[in-house]
Amino acid sequence: MPSRLDDINEQRKKTLQRLRGLGINPYPNRYPQTHTTQQAIAQLEETEARETPQRGKETEPVSVAGRITAMRKMGKSSFLDVRDVSGKIQLLLQNSNFNKDQQELFKDLDIGDIIGVEGKLLRTRTGEPTIAVGEFTLLSKSLQPLPEKWHGLSDTDKRYRQRYVDLIANNEVKEVFKVRSRVIASIRQFLDKRGFIEVETPVLHSSAGGALAAPFVTHHNALDQDLYLRIATELHLKRLIVGGFDKVYEIGRVFRNEGISTTHSPEYTLLESYEAYADYTDVMEMQEQMIYHICKQVLGTAEIKYGNNTIDLKPPWQRITLRDAVKEYGGIDYVSYPTAAGLREKMRSLNMEADTNKNWAKLVDELLKTYVRPKLIQPTIVFDYPASMSPLAKNKPGKERVVERFQAVAGGLEIDNAYSELNDPIEQRERFQEQMKDRHGDEEEQWTIDEDYLTALEYGMPPTGGLGVGIDRLVMLLTNQQSIREVILFPQLREKP
């Protein structure tokens, strides 16, 4: 039995046929706009400020286009709301301004249709900025009705699968993605001013390297070989440091064939930057300043709301070593338990989950994820990690098993990861080989050694500080979103049966 939505769709298709039968093109090629809705309102306000007209006095005509989101018919007059990317404006259509054919065309308009209008601006008696429409043009006939409560679409699955409907229905969603765009533009501005250059590196790699993650595998037909979708941009960017570019960065998609959660997506946007002759302390200062700059430029303040907390992103941020953080929040000094079996036993004695298949480094990482990060609400830099957790990071002088690495956490979210880059090719090879031996079939470890990267290091890479920022999580923090799917326009979803 056809549903109500099916009936509406069928009725609109009949209207479409009728319009075409009358020689009306319901999908014209273009429409000459002079203003967005908000520019039109601004023009009205400027005219009022300059001329102080009586209420109801008309101003210069404007041409605006947008989607009909509300219709209110009142006898021989009708009020419509039209929304474009900048906002909405009210339209006033009076039958006396149109001939019979135009009046009939108006009857065929539905909520969801996109129209273009031309007319003069005025304020109604209630003070509402309004376009008194002299001409209107149908620009796109909508065959699907908007959700009944278009201003409050709440079906999460539908919102993610049909993001276009979500953007039509929920203006606040559109605002999140406007902020995202401005955040990325602000990052570029900040790094460009510091002398970094933006580069592009391959998405398809012959080796899965640069991070501890399971890759996606594809096949290149012409080359007849399997390739990996990149899990990081790191190794190619550091090749550029070897080649003589002292400051480089890339903003791009990376792919990790792992679980999905409120903070993890199998494809996400990553900023990576590398600066020659710098170490992780230089990167700490830079990332604090960068995030502060972004927040002030995009939001106008360094204080943000995340969940029920107010977070101040103004530098300097608090700092704590990973060892001290795990001791303080997890109750374990992992240095006292140097084997996986010993650490696992200690965790279980405290009623913590300790997966038998996880090695020592992954158990420490689990302590960090479960017991430390959720407690770090104000921005905090957690630094100095075990070497076994960071195969690409340089040892801290005087501490053989500790590397110069940090992660920044705010609102319980890890937002970036950085270290002093290991540039000793012999030690790097040994780290890779040790990592391969310790993998034990764990898909989250990299699968192959990138021999060309090791060759690049043999040519000599200067001391380098590297930074990786998860753009999606940063946007989550700045827009107060609790799920990563809220800040990715088209998140990956399981196919419907």
Side-chain angles (χ1 to χ4, degrees), residues 9 11 31 54 70 80 102 110 118 123 132 146 161-162 203 210 259 277 290 297 302 328 368 380 392 399 402 425 474:
N9 179 257
Q11 182 59 47
Y31 183 78
Q54 298 291 326
L80 280 66
Q102 290 174 314
D110 293 298
E118 183 178 333
R123 283 193 187 271
L146 297 182
R161 290 185 189 279
Q162 297 181 300
V203 173
Y277 312 108
M290 181 174 69
Q297 185 176 70
E328 180 175 343
L368 169 62
T380 303
L392 291 158
K399 295 188 178 181
V402 177
L474 178 59

Side-chain angles (χ1 to χ4, degrees), residues 171-431:
N171 193 54
E172 64 274 16
V173 172
K174 195 179 279 124
E175 291 304 313
V176 167
F177 290 103
K178 288 181 182 179
V179 169
R180 181 187 175 107
S181 178
R182 294 198 296 271
V183 165
I184 293 172
S186 184
I187 289 171
R188 286 193 166 103
Q189 181 193 73
F190 178 88
L191 292 173
D192 291 348
K193 282 187 175 180
R194 284 200 169 215
F196 285 79
I197 65 168
E198 184 173 8
V199 297
E200 294 175 301
T201 62
V203 173
L204 296 176
H205 289 182
S206 58
S207 299
L212 300 179
F216 287 93
V217 185
T218 187
H219 187 77
H220 194 302
N221 291 335
L223 297 178
D224 191 24
Q225 70 181 70
D226 287 342
L227 295 173
Y228 304 95
L229 272 67
R230 66 186 182 190
I231 56 178
T233 59
E234 177 170 349
L235 300 188
H236 281 86
L237 290 174
K238 288 194 289 192
R239 284 172 168 90
L240 298 179
I241 297 292
V242 171
F245 286 107
D246 286 349
K247 295 182 179 182
V248 295
Y249 75 94
E250 182 171 8
I251 299 172
R253 274 291 215 254
V254 295
F255 309 86
R256 302 190 178 184
N257 199 357
E258 301 171 348
I260 297 175
S261 71
T262 56
T263 57
H264 292 84
S265 171
E267 60 172 322
Y268 62 97
T269 302
L270 181 66
L271 159 71
E272 289 200 52
S273 70
Y274 293 87
E275 180 177 358
Y277 312 108
D279 70 357
Y280 77 146
T281 61
D282 300 302
V283 180
M284 284 183 196
E285 181 274 336
M286 185 187 78
Q287 66 91 33
E288 283 180 336
Q289 293 297 330
M290 181 174 69
I291 292 175
Y292 176 69
H293 164 84
I294 293 165
C295 203
K296 289 285 286 184
Q297 185 176 70
V298 175
L299 302 180
T301 177
E303 289 192 359
I304 60 170
K305 289 285 290 184
Y306 190 71
N308 296 321
N309 300 295
T310 299
I311 298 173
D312 188 354
L313 293 169
K314 184 178 180 180
W317 296 0
Q318 61 187 13
R319 286 163 166 72
I320 186 171
T321 66
L322 176 61
R323 182 182 179 184
D324 287 342
V326 173
K327 280 197 291 187
E328 180 175 343
Y329 298 107
I332 296 177
D333 183 358
Y334 57 73
V335 173
S336 299
Y337 305 92
T339 67
L343 182 55
R344 192 178 297 114
E345 182 179 349
K346 178 60 177 177
M347 291 172 66
R348 287 173 176 170
S349 73
L350 296 176
N351 297 317
M352 298 176 177
E353 289 189 16
D355 191 334
T356 305
N357 295 319
K358 289 186 175 179
N359 60 27
W360 186 87
K362 285 192 173 293
L363 290 173
V364 174
D365 191 50
E366 191 61 36
L367 289 170
L368 169 62
K369 291 177 181 177
T370 305
Y371 300 100
V372 177
R373 282 184 197 152
K375 305 290 180 60
L376 302 180
I377 304 304
Q378 293 306 315
T380 303
I381 290 174
V382 182
F383 66 100
D384 289 357
Y385 281 56
S388 57
M389 295 177 68
S390 313
L392 291 158
K394 181 174 287 190
N395 280 8
K396 192 175 182 70
K399 295 188 178 181
E400 182 181 347
R401 297 185 178 181
V402 177
V403 294
E404 294 188 341
R405 175 186 175 187
F406 75 83
Q407 291 179 310
V409 182
L413 292 173
E414 175 204 333
I415 53 179
D416 61 42
N417 183 35
Y419 33 86
S420 301
E421 304 295 333
L422 179 58
N423 60 343
D424 180 338
I426 295 174
E427 184 178 354
Q428 184 66 84
R429 179 178 291 280
E430 290 172 353
R431 295 262 197 103

